[in-house]
Amino acid sequence: MYEFYEVRTVGTRRRGRYVLLLVALLVVATLAAVLLFVTRAPGRPVSTADGVKRVSGVEGDNLVTYDGKKWKPQFWNGINMGATLAGHAPGELAPTKEDYLRWFPEMKAMNVDVLRVYTILSPQFYEALNQFNAGRKDPLWLVQGVWSPEEELIGKDEKGRDAYDPKITEDFQSE
């Protein structure tokens, strides 16, 4: 039945670059989440060490929050949200502010605490999130990802490029 099955593998170099890129994206997303958490959390206890202010972090295998005295493990229910709607092209920023304002209360009703997006969304998303969170004691937190300069990393010849090339890092940091 599967006699024509063909095994395909990704080259070791390409796989290594993808792993490096994934790690870089996770670091950026985590830093963005912590920054958002710190800047949008008035009144929350803040830990300051070596000039760095934090209200959350990672210890071992746990996400932790600072309660004013010590770091406590914290579990956040979360969802990963895409950028488009069914029937639209991938990457098409189709949802409206009204869509988001309808979805956010539904997410909270499902006990969602954290929303993760993989790329920068339309201003309507951020306006709706800000409007939804205004005055709430239980805001919907955001883990903001950014899209890597994939085409530059792959290269026209598809042999891959150095992720630390100044042009590539400049484009990524700009994003």
Side-chain angles (χ1 to χ4, degrees):
M1 181 167 147
Y2 294 104
E3 61 187 273
F4 298 107
Y5 178 74
E6 178 181 328
V7 176
R8 295 183 181 187
T9 59
V10 177
T12 305
R13 287 181 136 184
R14 179 177 272 176
R15 187 178 312 123
R17 288 187 182 116
Y18 286 132
V19 168
L20 178 63
L21 178 61
L22 178 61
V23 168
L25 288 173
L26 288 173
V27 167
V28 169
T30 301
L31 291 175
V34 168
L35 179 63
L36 181 65
F37 198 70
V38 169
T39 60
R40 298 284 185 190
R44 290 196 58 91
V46 176
S47 169
T48 303
D50 299 324
V52 177
K53 295 180 180 181
R54 298 186 312 146
V55 296
S56 65
V58 176
E59 285 185 0
D61 293 338
N62 297 309
L63 294 172
V64 293
T65 56
Y66 187 65
D67 69 2
K69 297 178 184 172
K70 61 181 178 175
W71 292 95
K72 295 166 71 172
Q74 173 77 39
F75 179 83
W76 286 308
N77 295 310
I79 63 169
N80 187 37
M81 191 173 84
T84 195
L85 295 170
H88 292 268
E92 182 181 348
L93 304 177
T96 64
K97 183 176 180 179
E98 291 72 30
D99 289 327
Y100 295 122
L101 288 172
R102 185 177 74 251
W103 295 340
F104 294 156
E106 293 171 350
M107 291 175 192
K108 288 306 283 187
M110 296 185 326
N111 296 315
V112 170
D113 300 311
V114 177
L115 175 62
R116 185 250 178 190
V117 295
Y118 65 89
T119 191
I120 297 171
L121 298 181
S122 67
Q124 291 86 356
F125 168 79
Y126 302 98
E127 291 167 5
L129 184 61
N130 188 49
Q131 182 178 330
F132 177 76
N133 282 340
R136 292 184 69 96
K137 292 184 180 182
D138 63 338
L140 199 74
W141 297 105
L142 175 65
V143 175
Q144 175 69 62
V146 294
W147 199 253
S148 66
E150 185 176 347
E151 292 176 3
E152 290 89 349
L153 285 168
I154 294 171
K156 290 182 182 179
D157 60 3
E158 296 187 1
K159 291 185 178 180
R161 298 292 177 266
D162 181 356
Y164 294 104
D165 178 273
K167 174 68 175 131
I168 292 174
T169 57
E170 182 180 300
D171 289 349
F172 186 71
Q173 289 173 350
S174 174
E175 179 72 10

